[in-house]
Amino acid sequence: MLDFLQPQMIITLVLRLAVLYAMWVIGSKALRFAERYAESAAGVQDLKLFRYVRLGWTAVVIYMAVVVGIYSLHMEQFAAFYQQGNEVVAWFTQVIGRIVAVILLSYVALRVVNTLAERIVPGSEFSRRTVRVRTLTGVLRSTATVVIVLLAFVMVLDNLGVRSSALLASVSVLGLAVSFGAQSLIKDIFSGFFILLEDQYGVDDSIIVNNNPNLSGGVEKLNLRVTHLRALDGTVHIIPNGQIQTVSVQSKEWSRFVANLSVGYDADLDRAIEVVKKVAGDLYEDAEWKDHFLEAPEVQGVTALNLDAVNIRALFKVLPKSQWALGREFNRRIKRAMDEAQIMIPFSRKTINWGGEPLLVEFKQTPPAEFKADMKKRPDVGADTDMNV
């Protein structure tokens, strides 16, 4: 009876049962995943078979735990179970135990990576640090996941008797051959690496790709291969990084709203400029909008003389991504202020000059007889005049 109290024996039993428990958890998760897939993708309605398989898997693990416990505690009086426990332990020691241990350690490593990534919380306000943190967190998490899974795969094959050195050599040769046919993929990865290294743009930035207005919006996701761009209407554009030639970033460091206001040639320009200055100053002093500004507005005055109007320009230097909301508010206020000041924002019009001679317009009345004869020559309204039909 004292043999049961030996610490080494107890530790060995606990470790073996822990490996069996890990194997049971992995198998149960795999079976539940297969059940959900069969229910959603394959449309299987009767799932009793999966329940029976799970119960059978649990019964097998429990039986293996019993025989392993009998063998670990040296209970040789149960000869049949003791021998089976010896075979199970030998089998686990040689193959399954190591594989389960590798999978368990890989699972723990993935959980640690995800936990550390979740602890890196970016700030709530939009800034370059927030963009950088969100972008690098996603890239590092995905990269670490790929590395852990590949290492676990190689170690599992090694425990199954497959020589990892020969496998890696074969993979390297295969990779060299594939690289010639996957140059675009390599280009995407290198482009994504330099996008991250140089902080060209990141998650939550507003960008325009390749000067194409149809490829504009907020960056929703960024990795080494592709950029996910969410447009204003909700469309997601998935753009390979290697195809990005130019990027116009609308939210880097600071932004600017450029207000171009047109007034007619008959308007009092000095008064119009004063109205623009007053509206810009009131918007700058408004407590609701003051935090959006980085500096006081600048009214530049008359900037262009167009065919139909005179342009007055005002500049607003604001926080990144604030230019659109502030621009809408300024447009609303300036329209109301111009109406109150009776300064017309002109609409398009044209003047036709016929020269110096007076234009003579004659109205000729057709005699009734000629009018009736002309109407008889015309086809009836709605009649079919196509004689070829």
Side-chain angles (χ1 to χ4, degrees), residues 260-263 265 301-307 309-313:
N260 286 312
L261 182 67
S262 299
V263 298
Y265 274 92
V302 178
T303 57
L305 301 176
N306 296 327
L307 293 176
V310 178
N311 278 4
I312 300 174
R313 179 187 295 166

Side-chain angles (χ1 to χ4, degrees), residues 193-249:
F193 173 77
F194 283 106
I195 289 173
L196 296 173
L197 180 65
E198 299 172 359
D199 191 24
Q200 297 177 12
Y201 60 87
V203 177
D204 286 345
D205 268 328
S206 296
I207 65 174
I208 301 175
V209 176
N210 296 338
N211 294 324
N212 187 351
N214 295 325
L215 295 179
S216 62
V219 179
E220 193 171 69
K221 183 180 178 182
L222 172 63
N223 54 38
L224 292 177
R225 193 177 68 85
V226 296
T227 296
H228 293 244
L229 194 64
R230 176 78 67 173
L232 184 62
D233 61 354
T235 304
V236 177
H237 303 286
I238 302 176
I239 309 169
N241 293 328
Q243 297 183 12
I244 299 176
Q245 303 298 325
T246 60
V247 178
S248 303
V249 184

Side-chain angles (χ1 to χ4, degrees), residues 2 40 45 69 76 88 112 115 168 205 207 230 234 285 353 361:
L2 295 178
S40 60
Q45 300 297 329
E76 298 181 1
V88 170
V112 170
T115 302
L168 292 176
D205 268 328
I207 65 174
R230 176 78 67 173
E285 296 296 335
N353 188 356
V361 180

Side-chain angles (χ1 to χ4, degrees), residues 15-237:
L15 290 176
R16 289 170 178 172
L17 292 179
V19 172
L20 281 173
Y21 176 74
M23 186 180 70
W24 176 78
V25 170
I26 295 172
S28 299
K29 287 184 177 294
L31 291 173
R32 289 187 181 276
F33 175 79
E35 182 179 356
R36 287 195 297 267
Y37 178 80
E39 185 177 4
S40 60
V44 177
Q45 300 297 329
D46 189 5
L47 301 176
K48 292 183 179 179
L49 176 62
F50 289 96
R51 298 189 184 97
Y52 293 149
V53 172
R54 289 205 308 270
L55 290 175
W57 171 248
T58 303
V60 169
V61 174
I62 292 175
Y63 179 78
M64 293 174 67
V66 171
V67 296
V68 167
I70 292 174
Y71 175 77
S72 301
L73 297 177
H74 298 294
M75 301 174 65
E76 298 181 1
Q77 59 271 27
F78 304 100
F81 295 108
Y82 183 84
Q83 182 62 30
Q84 291 180 3
N86 184 18
E87 295 176 356
V88 170
V89 169
W91 183 53
F92 265 89
T93 303
Q94 294 175 4
V95 180
I96 301 301
R98 295 177 183 178
I99 293 177
V100 172
V102 169
I103 295 176
L104 181 61
L105 291 176
S106 302
Y107 176 77
V108 172
L110 290 175
R111 294 293 299 176
V112 170
V113 169
N114 291 330
T115 302
L116 292 177
E118 292 173 357
R119 289 182 177 274
I120 304 175
V121 180
S124 57
E125 296 183 357
F126 181 84
S127 63
R128 293 318 303 169
R129 180 185 177 278
T130 302
V131 171
R132 191 77 167 166
V133 168
R134 288 179 179 174
T135 304
L136 292 179
T137 299
V139 173
L140 292 176
R141 175 187 291 181
S142 59
T143 304
T145 301
V146 171
V147 171
I148 292 172
V149 170
L150 287 178
L151 289 177
F153 178 72
V154 172
M155 295 177 69
V156 168
L157 291 180
D158 192 29
N159 283 283
L160 290 175
V162 180
R163 295 181 59 185
S164 58
S165 58
L167 178 64
L168 292 176
S170 302
V171 169
S172 62
V173 174
L174 179 62
L176 181 62
V178 171
S179 63
F180 290 101
Q183 295 182 8
S184 60
L185 177 61
I186 297 174
K187 182 180 179 182
D188 295 339
I189 294 175
F190 271 97
S191 299
F193 173 77
F194 283 106
I195 289 173
L196 296 173
L197 180 65
E198 299 172 359
D199 191 24
Q200 297 177 12
Y201 60 87
V203 177
D204 286 345
D205 268 328
S206 296
I207 65 174
I208 301 175
V209 176
N210 296 338
N211 294 324
N212 187 351
N214 295 325
L215 295 179
S216 62
V219 179
E220 193 171 69
K221 183 180 178 182
L222 172 63
N223 54 38
L224 292 177
R225 193 177 68 85
V226 296
T227 296
H228 293 244
L229 194 64
R230 176 78 67 173
L232 184 62
D233 61 354
T235 304
V236 177
H237 303 286

